[in-house]
Amino acid sequence: MRRLLVVLLAGLLMPWVMGAQSAAPKLVAPGVWFLEGDAHAGYCNSIVIEMERYLVLVDPSYPGRTKELMAEIPALSKKPVKWVFDTHAHGDHSYGNALWTQAGATTLAAAGVRKEMDLYEPTRWQSAISKREDVRATDARDVERPKVVFRGSKFVLRDKTREVDFLYLGWGHTRGDGYVWLPKEKILCTGDAAVNGPRNKMWDADVANWPRVLDKAAALGPNVVLPGHGDMGGVEIVTGQAQFLRDLYAAVKAQMDLPVSDVKVSLPERDANWVRPDMSQHIGIMYAEIKAGKPAGALPHTWQ
Ligand SMILES: [Zn+2]
């Protein structure tokens, strides 16, 4: 009896003992859950979509988060995870790939994700090994590339319960940004092309084109937007993200006669959700893009 009690208590306490602070899954629509990852652990948000016979997971995040998801998802649905979609190549979204392949799922992404991984990996993976126990613990030396990539603008999964569209709308936050669109439910998963809060990463971006891509996403008419980081919301996450990028770009462009270190921006109140206390990195990336006349992500750069 005492032993049973210890086992039960250990089970209850384990998530806290392990340090996992990811939020409880939120039901967004029947069979669609938003799983907010623990930002302090560097995790992104994930989404689970239930189909007739299987589940789709959007963004496996880091290996540590994938392990949490593997424990949490069976409580949502007993169906197997068949497809795992990387919204882009960054480690906080894709480094759990290999664990899902081992579990029998098929990883999927827009073709640009594999291209970015081939460009930037395994350098970034090696850097993550030095910083993160969960990546180190995999014993792998490189991120596993998505097993299936789609070219063009759309890859569709459809059964009698629903349709899931995986969309590529252009080079914005990265070359491979994939959006997940549920046309019937009007739910849009944006990955980090649109985040809710000051969480943008611009190293790999085409900053000038990014808001134009977001315009296409907003034009789908989503009622619910599930971002890669931060809380879920409505289309204002997408339109606000686009406006912030436009305002910042215009502010930097107006000061190109100054050295980059002298460029200062004061953005309108509408951009407050995306403004960081220190904007120098964003400014530097935009300045470099405008000066070179080509996407920041196409210029020589390292992960910072
Ligand atoms: Zn991210």
Side-chain angles (χ1 to χ4, degrees):
M1 184 61 195
R2 180 174 287 176
R3 190 188 229 166
L4 182 67
L5 202 63
V6 169
V7 169
L8 281 172
L9 269 175
L12 279 171
L13 291 172
M14 200 56 103
W16 288 276
V17 172
M18 301 287 283
Q21 297 291 326
S22 299
K26 285 182 195 154
L27 186 68
V28 181
V32 182
W33 293 270
F34 181 57
L35 297 96
E36 235 177 307
D38 180 1
H40 298 290
Y43 300 155
C44 69
N45 298 329
S46 304
I47 295 98
V48 172
I49 302 163
E50 186 175 34
M51 305 293 284
E52 188 188 0
R53 295 205 179 87
Y54 61 88
L55 304 175
V56 178
L57 170 67
V58 179
D59 279 337
S61 191
Y62 280 119
R65 179 59 175 150
T66 270
K67 285 182 180 164
E68 288 181 359
L69 292 169
M70 284 177 169
E72 278 176 21
I73 291 171
L76 308 176
S77 168
K78 296 285 177 219
K79 295 173 190 175
V81 174
K82 183 175 173 188
W83 292 96
V84 173
F85 184 66
D86 295 339
T87 58
H88 59 286
H90 292 165
D92 61 323
H93 295 256
S94 66
Y95 280 7
N97 276 358
L99 292 174
W100 286 103
T101 306
Q102 286 156 27
T106 301
T107 46
L108 168 74
V113 170
R114 191 182 280 167
K115 182 172 182 189
E116 292 228 322
M117 286 176 175
D118 289 345
L119 273 172
Y120 303 128
E121 301 289 2
T123 308
R124 291 175 178 181
W125 179 276
Q126 301 290 337
S127 159
I129 283 178
S130 69
K131 292 178 199 145
R132 298 190 59 97
E133 174 56 32
D134 61 345
V135 177
R136 195 160 45 240
T138 64
D139 283 333
R141 305 175 75 93
D142 197 353
V143 59
E144 186 182 273
R145 308 297 189 261
K147 295 292 179 184
V148 175
V149 295
F150 67 95
R151 285 165 216 290
S153 59
K154 199 171 182 181
F155 179 92
V156 179
L157 294 175
R158 194 187 288 113
D159 63 21
K160 65 184 180 195
T161 61
R162 76 172 95 238
E163 174 178 324
V164 183
D165 298 344
F166 301 89
L167 304 176
Y168 176 71
L169 304 174
W171 184 355
H173 151 262
T174 73
R175 280 176 192 80
D177 291 346
Y179 296 76
V180 182
W181 171 237
L182 307 184
K184 193 172 70 167
E185 301 85 348
K186 296 196 177 297
I187 296 172
L188 179 70
C189 313
T190 62
D192 290 0
V195 296
N196 193 1
R199 308 262 187 82
N200 289 135
K201 289 178 186 153
M202 299 192 183
W203 302 287
D204 303 328
D206 181 335
V207 190
N209 196 48
W210 188 346
R212 295 196 278 268
V213 178
L214 289 170
D215 290 348
K216 292 188 220 169
L220 294 166
N223 289 332
V224 177
V225 171
L226 306 176
H229 297 275
D231 238 340
M232 56 187 271
V235 72
E236 73 283 352
I237 295 175
V238 178
T239 54
Q241 174 73 79
Q243 188 65 58
F244 164 70
L245 291 165
R246 285 195 165 102
D247 288 343
L248 182 56
Y249 196 88
V252 174
K253 200 172 180 186
Q255 300 174 71
M256 291 301 291
D257 52 332
L258 300 175
V260 64
S261 53
D262 288 354
V263 175
K264 299 280 179 286
V265 295
S266 168
L267 296 178
E269 181 56 32
R270 63 188 177 205
D271 297 328
N273 188 36
W274 290 271
V275 171
R276 292 178 180 183
D278 178 2
M279 293 290 284
S280 59
Q281 190 180 75
H282 286 346
I283 291 169
I285 291 169
M286 287 201 180
Y287 190 96
E289 174 171 314
I290 295 166
K291 194 166 176 211
K294 52 179 169 177
L299 306 173
H301 65 291
T302 51
W303 183 253
Q304 295 169 52

